[in-house]
Amino acid sequence: MDADVIVVGAGLAGLVATHELTRRGRRVALVDQENPANLGGQAFWSFGGLFLVDSPEQRRLNLSDSFDLAWRDWQGSAGWDRLEGRLAEDEWAVRWARAYVEFAAGEKRSWLKQHGISLTPMVGWAERGAGQAFGHGNSVPRFHVAWGTGTGVSEPFASRAREAAESARLTFHHRHRVDHLLVEGGRIAGVSGAVLAPDPAPRGAPSNRDVIGSFTLRAQAVVLASGGIGGDHDKVRRFWPERLGSPPRSMITGVPAYVDGRLLDIAGEAGARLVNRDRMWHYVEGVQNWAPVWPQHAIRILPGPSPLWLDALGRQLPAPALPGHDTMATLKHLRTTPDLAGHDHSWFIVSQKILEKEFALSGSEQNLDITERNLLKVLMSRLGKGAPPAVDAFKHKGADFVFADDLETLVARMNSLTERPLLDPALVRQQIEDRDAQMDNPYSKDFQIMSIHNSRRYLGDKLARTATPHRLLDPRAGPLIGVRLHVLTRKSLGGLQTDLSSQVLKADGTPFEGLYAAGEAAGFGGGGLHGYNALEGTFLGGCIFSGRAAGRALAGQV
């Protein structure tokens, strides 16, 4: 045996599984196709959002939360509908989801603290919902941001991996691409594949695929923590569900190119059960990065509730397709409305006042104040005057941003970003004037304006995430800004079906001896604990929870 356990994938889920194994004295071979600079995977690039329930941070902001409310929200969002029969695709997903919400409402915060992960005082209100008491969405803010953003979540485990390597409990196998799972006597006995040529590419940048040799590693068990398919647009289109209409002809990418989903198909060929592959999570507020690291590098705008959202033809999107409310409903509307099928973009129109208060950007590198744990910078950029530096840079350098002092000039500049002019200035003006007429009172018949007022009742949003309601055409709030938005590929919500110990199941529903999966490769647990929707802050947490389960289960077996 080359190790007790082989972990494939050096992202957050793989690092957590490795930590649980090495701290109990097990020998681990950590295999990854990228170089050492990529330790931590996608998590390193993330905003660092973590879903927690009834936390001290929530209570300080006068938020009342509970396991019962969170579990009700999760069920309403997930919408599981594949529960019949012994091989039901959602059977284990439901069990995983309940266990995860129990973790988020219980041990999770203290476990994070024990492992060196601390939280900012901010609690964001992501996925505010579809406007129903039981349905998609968070009833209260639950999006806790880690100090250090994604680096503050991934680096504690990356550091532990390096320490384990120094004590010979862990062996890194960088630039090793797994091409086969070794199956002997019906169980997994190891992996084999290609050794890739060294490549000094910086973190996240594309690396070569030049094969210089082969390898075989043997162990008592293998953990697949190799991620999803978001970096491969052809695969995204291959599994795109009919319920979301036609896939965009053009998308931008929210994950590095190495997030290619290869190991999912390889595991399926070896006999593992793959479920819910038509469930996926892609954002509709993506913009092109003016300083890209990987091909078609995209950044997501995390909007507050105030931007006016128009489709490609200049019509306001209907509720619940509103900023920050219901990602999947918005994606579905944009992809299934018949006259929009030929267009791959939509638009935000905001005032400078809204941009300064409400625009945040995804990514550790876009939030250096939090990434660097600089409280003074956080206070200045989040609560002070002016837009955060990263947002201001996109306004002036981003290919998808235009601005002007008057609406007609703005619409002309928006039209200049498309192959032919699609926006009618008169239609855009009429919709803005209708909206502006709702701004003179603290009540409204407009659903979005009601949401803005509701948001400002929450102290966290009033201080840092929601602009004072105002007329878009008020020159004192200007200039006006138009932002072209693209579909940004991100997460697979389905994957390898696993039981509560993260053991993979075979095609017939029985345990696959020696094979485990964690993180996005397992649909973050059970092959789809999110169901059809995510409540946000649940991806990093799902990697942690499923990686922990795999490591703990195997530490007691090998």
Side-chain angles (χ1 to χ4, degrees), residues 8 25 49 58-59 89 124 146 185 187 234 259 287 299 336 341 367 387 461 506:
V8 182
Q58 288 175 301
R59 294 193 292 272
E89 294 190 25
R187 65 170 292 129
D234 289 337
V259 185
V287 292
I299 297 296
T336 60
N367 296 276
D461 274 0
K506 291 182 178 180

Side-chain angles (χ1 to χ4, degrees), residues 286-329:
V287 292
Q288 301 169 83
N289 194 342
W290 60 270
V293 176
W294 54 80
Q296 297 177 289
H297 188 171
I299 297 296
R300 182 202 175 198
I301 295 173
L302 289 75
S306 303
L308 177 67
W309 204 336
L310 305 179
D311 65 26
L313 302 178
R315 302 167 303 199
Q316 185 173 3
L317 272 58
L322 299 173
H325 278 72
D326 193 330
T327 294
M328 283 295 105

